[in-house]
C-alpha cells in the first residue's frame, strides 16, 4: 500500500447488517424516562401518539442487535460504508507519531450523519400509515436529513428551525425546501409553545421541539421525529462505529487508543463510540472514549445529572441526563448542532458510570484546528465536527511530546460547506468565545424540576 492510499473501504460481504444496542452490555441499566405529569416510568402507550410502534420498541429493547431492514439498507448503500481515512498529511504537519483516522459522515445526501437515522425513522412511520412528520432543527442538518428521507418514502415534512439559525443560515432552509420539506421559524405563531415567546426571539432547540411535538400530538396521521438524544436514534447511528471497527482492522490496526466525537445531543458520538465501548467492556480493546462539547453549552462538563425535560415547555418525558436546565438558551455559537441543554440519557449514563469522558473547548480553538485540517486533508469540517478535530489535535500533540504511537479515531460528523459564514467570521477575526457564566448556569439549573 502506498503512502497516499489512505481510505479504507468494505466489500459487499463486510457490510453492516445490524445496529448495536449498548443497553445489552451496560453493567447497570440506565434509569427509565418518567411521564411529565404522573412522574411514573413511561410505557409504550404514552409514546404512541408521537412515534410508531417499531421505534417505541427500539427505545426500550434490551436486545444486543437489531437487524437493519432491507429498504433502509438500500438507501444506506447510496453513501455507506462512509469512508475511514488516515490523516497522514495532518499527522506530518503536527509532527506526531500518533496515527489519526477519521470516519467521514459528510458524504451522505444531507452532508451529515443524520441521514443514518432519518431514513429508518421515516421508513417505520411509512409502515404505519403516517402521512406527515414534524420536527425541530438547529443549524438545519436534521431538517435536511428528515426532509430527504420523507421525499424517498412519500411523506410530508414540517420543520421548526431555531430562529437564530433561520435568520443567519437561509441556505439551510433552502436545502430543506429543495428536498421537499416546509420550514417555519421558531418560535412560530402556529403553536401555544411558540406563542409563549416574542416573535423575534432567537429560539432554541428546546422551544422548537415543543412546537413540533405539540402539532404532532394534535393530529392522528402526523408523528414527530427527533434527530438525536433518544435511544432509538443512537441505535441507528451505531452503523458508524460498526463500520469503523471493521475498517480499522483493514487498516491493520488491532484497535483504537482514543475515540473522539463531538456531542450536542450525543448521537454521532454514541454512534461511533458505542461499538468501541462494547469492545472495551468485553476486554478486547481499551480505548479512552471522549465526548467534546463547546464551552458555551457545557452540558456534560458543567451540567447536573438529574431528571429534566427534553424541551422547553415540558411536554416530553422527564429523562435522567446531564442538563443545563430546560430553560437554558445557549449563546448563538456557530456549531448550532451542539446548542442543546441536555444530553442523550445513554451517553449521560455512560459518563456518570465513568465509562466515557467529556471535555469542553472554545470555538476559536476548534476553528483553528478545522483550518489546519482543511489545508492538509482537503475537507471543510462542520463547525460541530471541528470540536472533535481540536481534541484530536491536542491528543496528537501530547503524543508528539511523549513519543507515544497511539491510534486516534475521530468522528467527522459532517461537512461545513454550508457553514462558510462561520469560517468567514473566524478568518476575519470576528469570532468570539462566549463561555457560559456561572450566574447563567445557576439561573437555568434553578428551573429543573425536583423529582
Ligand atoms: C446535528 C449535528 C451534530 C450534533 O448532534 P449529535 O446528536 O450530538 O450528533 C454534530 N455534527 C453535525 C455535523 C450535526 O449535523
Amino acid at each position: 500500500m502506498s503512502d497516499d492510499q489512505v481510505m479504507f473501504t468494505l466489500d459487499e460481504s463486510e457490510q453492516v447488517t445490524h445496529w448495536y444496542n449498548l443497553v445489552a452490555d451496560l453493567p447497570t441499566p440506565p434509569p427509565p424516562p418518567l411521564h411529565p405529569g404522573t412522574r411514573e416510568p413511561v410505557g409504550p402507550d404514552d409514546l404512541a401518539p408521537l412515534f410508531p410502534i417499531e421505534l417505541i420498541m427500539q427505545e426500550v429493547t434490551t436486545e444486543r442487535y437489531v437487524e437493519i431492514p432491507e429498504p433502509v439498507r438500500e438507501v444506506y448503500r447510496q453513501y455507506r460504508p462512509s469512508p475511514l481515512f488516515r490523516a497522514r498529511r495532518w499527522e506530518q504537519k503536527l509532527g506526531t507519531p500518533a496515527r489519526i483516522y477519521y470516519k467521514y459522515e459528510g458524504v451522505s445526501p444531507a452532508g451529515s450523519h443524520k441521514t443514518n437515522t432519518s431514513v429508518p425513522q421515516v421508513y417505520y412511520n411509512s409502515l404505519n400509515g403516517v402521512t406527515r412528520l414534524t420536527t425541530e432543527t438547529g443549524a438545519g442538518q436534521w431538517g435536511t436529513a428528515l426532509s430527504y428521507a420523507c421525499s424517498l418514502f412519500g411523506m410530508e415534512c414540517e420543520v421548526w428551525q431555531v430562529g437564530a439559525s433561520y435568520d443567519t443560515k437561509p441556505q439551510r432552509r433552502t436545502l430543506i425546501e429543495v428536498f421537499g420539506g416546509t420550514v417555519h421559524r421558531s418560535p412560530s405563531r402556529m403553536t401555544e409553545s411558540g406563542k409563549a415567546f416574542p416573535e423575534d426571539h432567537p429560539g432554541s432547540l428546546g422551544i422548537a421541539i415543543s412546537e413540533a411535538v405539540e402539532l404532532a400530538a394534535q393530529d392522528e396521521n402526523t408523528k414527530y421525529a427527533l434527530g438525536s438524544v433518544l435511544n432509538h436514534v443512537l441505535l441507528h447511528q451505531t452503523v458508524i462505529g460498526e463500520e469503523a471497527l471493521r475498517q480499522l482492522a483493514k487498516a491493520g490496526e488491532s484497535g483504537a487508543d482514543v475515540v473522539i466525537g463531538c456531542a450536542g445531543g450525543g448521537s454521532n458520538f454514541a454512534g461511533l463510540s458505542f461499538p468501541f465501548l462494547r469492545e472495551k467492556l468485553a476486554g478486547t480493546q481499551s480505548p479512552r472514549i471522549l465526548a467534546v462539547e463547546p464551552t458555551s453549552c457545557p452540558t456534560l462538563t458543567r451540567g447536573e445529572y438529574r431528571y429534566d425535560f427534553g424541551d422547553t415547555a415540558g411536554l416530553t418525558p422527564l429523562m435522567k441526563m446531564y442538563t443545563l436546565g430546560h430553560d437554558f438558551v445557549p449563546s448563538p455559537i456557530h456549531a448550532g448542532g451542539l446548542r442543546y441543554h441536555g444530553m442523550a440519557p445513554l451517553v449521560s449514563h455512560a459518563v456518570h458510570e465513568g465509562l466515557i469522558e467529556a471535555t469542553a473547548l472554545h470555538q476559536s480553538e476548534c476553528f483553528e484546528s478545522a483550518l489546519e485540517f482543511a489545508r492538509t486533508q482537503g475537507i471543510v469540517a462542520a463547525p460541530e465536527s471541528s470540536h472533535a478535530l481540536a481534541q484530536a489535535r491536542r491528543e496528537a500533540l501530547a503524543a508528539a511530546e511523549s513519543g507515544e504511537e497511539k491510534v486516534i479515531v475521530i468522528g467527522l460528523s459532517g461537512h461545513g460547506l454550508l457553514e462558510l459564514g462561520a469560517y468567514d467570521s473566524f478568518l476575519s477575526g470576528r469570532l468570539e468565545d462566549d463561555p457560559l457564566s456561572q450566574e447563567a448556569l445557576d439561573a437555568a439549573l434553578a428551573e429543573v424540576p425536583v423529582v
Side-chain angles (χ1 to χ4, degrees):
M1 184 190 299
S2 87
D3 260 9
D4 295 331
Q5 188 179 340
V6 290
M7 184 175 130
F8 302 95
T9 54
L10 296 173
D11 302 332
E12 184 64 32
S13 62
E14 298 166 312
Q15 311 272 324
V16 175
T17 56
H18 291 71
W19 294 303
Y20 167 62
N21 180 19
L22 176 69
V23 175
D25 290 321
L26 282 173
T28 54
L34 305 180
H35 190 281
T38 65
R39 312 257 158 130
E40 295 295 322
V42 294
D45 288 352
D46 298 316
L47 298 173
L50 292 182
F51 302 110
I53 185 68
E54 292 86 351
L55 293 177
I56 294 172
M57 296 322 286
Q58 290 179 2
E59 195 57 28
V60 298
T61 184
T62 53
E63 291 290 316
R64 183 168 286 109
Y65 294 102
V66 175
E67 187 166 8
I68 307 174
E70 182 51 33
V72 173
R73 293 189 61 197
E74 208 168 281
V75 183
Y76 276 2
R77 272 184 218 116
Q78 182 189 354
Y79 66 97
R80 307 214 69 85
S82 69
L84 180 83
F85 290 101
R86 171 98 182 258
R88 282 197 194 268
R89 287 184 298 273
W90 196 30
E91 289 169 16
Q92 276 158 16
K93 169 90 185 168
L94 295 170
T96 182
R99 297 192 289 285
I100 305 175
Y101 295 88
Y102 57 98
K103 180 72 170 154
Y104 185 44
E105 294 296 311
V107 296
S108 95
S112 78
H113 66 288
K114 295 209 170 70
T115 322
N116 300 334
T117 186
S118 70
V119 172
Q121 287 194 47
V122 173
Y123 168 71
Y124 291 122
N125 273 289
S126 77
L127 299 181
N128 288 271
V130 176
T131 56
R132 181 172 67 153
L133 284 175
T134 63
T135 198
E136 73 292 334
T137 197
Q141 288 104 328
W142 171 238
T144 305
L146 191 70
S147 178
Y148 173 63
C150 281
S151 72
L152 296 182
F153 291 91
M155 210 173 288
E156 279 177 65
C157 179
E158 258 182 81
V159 181
W160 275 260
Q161 185 174 17
V162 175
S165 297
Y166 184 97
D167 298 338
T168 56
K169 294 176 177 165
Q171 294 183 335
R172 275 288 174 193
R173 179 172 83 234
T174 305
L175 192 57
I176 296 170
E177 291 169 353
V178 164
F179 286 131
T182 307
V183 186
H184 310 289
R185 186 188 187 281
S186 172
S188 76
R189 303 298 93 186
M190 300 166 66
T191 65
E192 295 309 315
S193 312
K195 282 190 245 170
F197 295 89
E199 198 163 2
D200 58 356
H201 190 277
S204 71
L205 275 177
I207 298 171
I209 293 173
S210 297
E211 296 207 78
V213 166
E214 190 182 316
L215 271 208
Q218 286 165 7
D219 177 13
E220 208 187 323
N221 298 321
T222 301
K223 294 212 185 282
Y224 166 70
L226 190 61
S228 186
V229 178
L230 297 180
N231 296 354
H232 68 262
V233 180
L234 273 52
L235 176 81
H236 301 155
Q237 294 296 352
T238 58
V239 65
I240 302 172
E242 292 289 27
E243 286 176 3
L245 278 169
R246 290 166 165 84
Q247 289 166 309
L248 211 52
K250 283 206 138 178
E253 303 290 0
S254 57
D257 297 304
V258 194
V259 177
I260 303 171
C262 65
S267 73
N268 89 86
F269 167 73
L272 173 68
S273 68
F274 281 3
F276 283 90
L277 182 52
R278 173 190 63 214
E279 299 305 313
K280 184 171 174 159
L281 291 168
T284 60
Q285 288 187 30
S286 49
R288 282 171 58 224
I289 300 176
L290 259 166
V292 191
E293 54 188 16
T295 49
S296 53
C297 193
T299 314
L300 288 168
T301 48
R302 291 178 65 200
E304 287 182 7
Y305 185 54
R306 55 192 287 189
Y307 275 102
D308 196 6
F309 297 109
D311 69 326
T312 303
L315 303 177
T316 70
L318 287 155
M319 294 177 285
K320 183 90 180 257
M321 61 182 177
Y322 283 93
T323 180
L324 297 169
H326 60 275
D327 281 336
F328 177 65
V329 179
S331 68
I333 55 162
H334 287 294
L338 304 185
R339 296 176 71 238
Y340 182 58
H341 70 272
M343 183 59 65
L346 269 180
V347 170
S348 296
H349 182 68
V351 167
H352 192 249
E353 296 285 304
L355 301 172
I356 57 186
E357 302 165 42
T359 186
L361 297 177
H362 291 316
Q363 61 174 349
S364 52
E365 179 180 342
C366 299
F367 274 103
E368 222 163 274
S369 302
L371 280 192
E372 197 177 73
F373 185 77
R375 290 168 186 180
T376 48
Q377 296 303 130
I379 291 176
V380 180
E384 291 85 356
S385 319
S386 73
H387 288 70
L389 292 175
Q391 184 61 30
R393 186 175 189 277
R394 286 187 176 204
E395 301 286 335
L397 291 175
E401 287 273 305
S402 66
E404 228 183 318
E405 266 195 41
K406 57 188 169 187
V407 172
I408 301 172
V409 178
I410 307 168
L412 202 67
S413 51
H415 72 65
L417 291 174
L418 290 171
E419 313 291 331
L420 294 182
Y423 277 87
D424 181 47
S425 298
F426 179 69
L427 289 166
S428 57
R430 282 180 285 116
L431 188 106
E432 279 169 27
D433 289 322
D434 194 4
L436 176 60
S437 73
Q438 193 59 44
E439 293 93 44
L441 176 59
D442 291 343
L445 284 174
E447 300 301 320
V448 179
V450 178
V451 177

